[in-house]
Amino acid sequence: NAGVTQTPKFQVLKTGQSMTLQCAQDMNHNSMYWYRQDPGMGLRLIYYSASEGTTDKGEVPNGYNVSRLNKREFSLRLESAAPSQTSVYFCASSESISAGYQETQYFGPGTRLLVL
Amino acid sequence: AQTVTQSQPEMSVQEAETVTLSCTYDTSENNYYLFWYKQPPSRQMILVIRQEAYKQQNATENRFSVNFQKAAKSFSLKISDSQLGDTAMYFCAVRNYGQNFVFGPGTRLSVLP
């Protein structure tokens, strides 16, 4: 049981390049999330998927797209990377966003992205 | 909109001593959950403790306990008998029913030998 896994662990991009961050969970969770973490700002929600087949914008969606490929996988795509997207990206999952406010999110190990 | 404030960007504590991390939040809801997450240098986010807003009794998990003051919208974390492995960033978060988590900016805790 690996929990939430993310690839890659670290990536360097040039401005304008594109890339996809991969996330997978093996806990049979319905809901999945993408956050970015910047110094002094905590975690900010980029996009989330309440259930397979649905995606919604979070607090900071501009410059990103997501795909809920199946119940296990939720990818984050940067179409044209910008230096402002330099950050640490976390994927998380939970049983169900509508199950109740007591549910816990489980996080992946993070991807450090540097955009030059 | 919900907001979470952690007024202590950095703190340090001697090994075996007790430290309290503060958190205040703002929400218009009456029922919600509060969480403390720990992020060690490995960057993995780990749930430390959670508290239901409608319960008056403070949550405890081994050496970790909270002081929940609903009227003051305060949710502090107390770590007793601090250990070197407690060195980490600590994030406070609040979640209303059916909504997403809102995280604070974090407090970096260093446990000194």
Side-chain angles (χ1 to χ4, degrees):
Chain A
N1 188 336
V4 180
T5 57
Q6 291 182 235
T7 55
K9 286 186 169 53
F10 177 70
Q11 184 73 45
V12 179
L13 291 178
K14 294 181 179 177
T15 297
Q17 287 185 317
S18 63
M19 79 160 295
T20 300
L21 280 63
Q22 306 286 353
C23 174
Q25 52 90 10
D26 62 2
M27 295 175 282
N28 201 35
H29 285 170
N30 288 300
S31 301
M32 298 184 74
Y33 313 81
W34 275 107
Y35 292 90
R36 61 177 289 173
Q37 182 182 23
D38 302 294
M41 302 188 74
L43 281 81
R44 293 182 292 169
L45 184 65
I46 304 171
Y47 270 93
Y48 67 99
S49 171
S51 60
E52 186 179 356
T54 69
T55 60
D56 286 286
K57 295 178 180 179
E59 181 185 354
V60 288
N62 291 344
Y64 305 95
N65 284 302
V66 291
S67 295
R68 184 74 183 268
L69 304 171
N70 48 55
K71 191 172 184 179
R72 289 187 64 249
E73 299 172 288
F74 188 40
S75 63
L76 177 72
R77 182 160 179 85
L78 286 72
E79 291 291 351
S80 178
S84 61
Q85 294 178 304
T86 292
S87 188
V88 180
Y89 292 85
F90 287 94
C91 177
S93 71
S94 65
E95 287 188 28
S96 174
I97 195 171
S98 59
Y101 38 62
Q102 76 278 14
E103 60 141 11
T104 299
Q105 290 192 357
Y106 297 86
F107 287 82
T111 295
R112 184 177 295 275
L113 177 66
L114 175 61
V115 182
L116 302 175
Chain B
Q2 301 163 268
T3 59
V4 178
T5 302
Q6 294 177 250
S7 59
Q8 305 148 315
E10 294 189 29
M11 295 187 71
S12 62
V13 63
Q14 291 294 136
E15 196 175 5
E17 294 191 345
T18 295
V19 64
T20 298
L21 281 58
S22 65
C23 172
T24 57
Y25 59 92
D26 189 21
T27 178
S28 57
E29 301 290 326
N30 193 45
N31 291 322
Y32 46 90
Y33 257 75
L34 296 156
F35 301 80
W36 277 99
Y37 276 88
K38 166 185 176 180
Q39 186 182 41
S42 66
R43 292 208 312 262
Q44 184 75 49
M45 293 281 285
I46 304 164
L47 177 68
V48 175
I49 198 166
R50 64 185 187 186
Q51 171 81 40
E52 303 158 67
Y54 59 85
K55 284 191 175 179
Q56 291 190 338
Q57 185 174 5
N58 288 325
T60 62
E61 286 286 343
N62 301 314
R63 298 182 294 107
F64 298 88
S65 62
V66 299
N67 183 4
F68 174 47
Q69 303 289 330
K70 190 173 184 179
K73 295 184 178 176
S74 170
F75 183 59
S76 60
L77 175 69
K78 186 171 82 170
I79 306 174
S80 304
D81 185 25
S82 297
Q83 301 175 359
L84 296 178
D86 295 334
T87 292
M89 282 286 287
Y90 287 82
F91 293 95
C92 178
V94 63
R95 181 170 186 256
N96 289 341
Y97 182 87
Q99 297 184 23
N100 289 304
F101 281 65
V102 176
F103 288 86
T107 294
R108 184 178 301 280
L109 176 67
S110 298
V111 180
L112 307 174

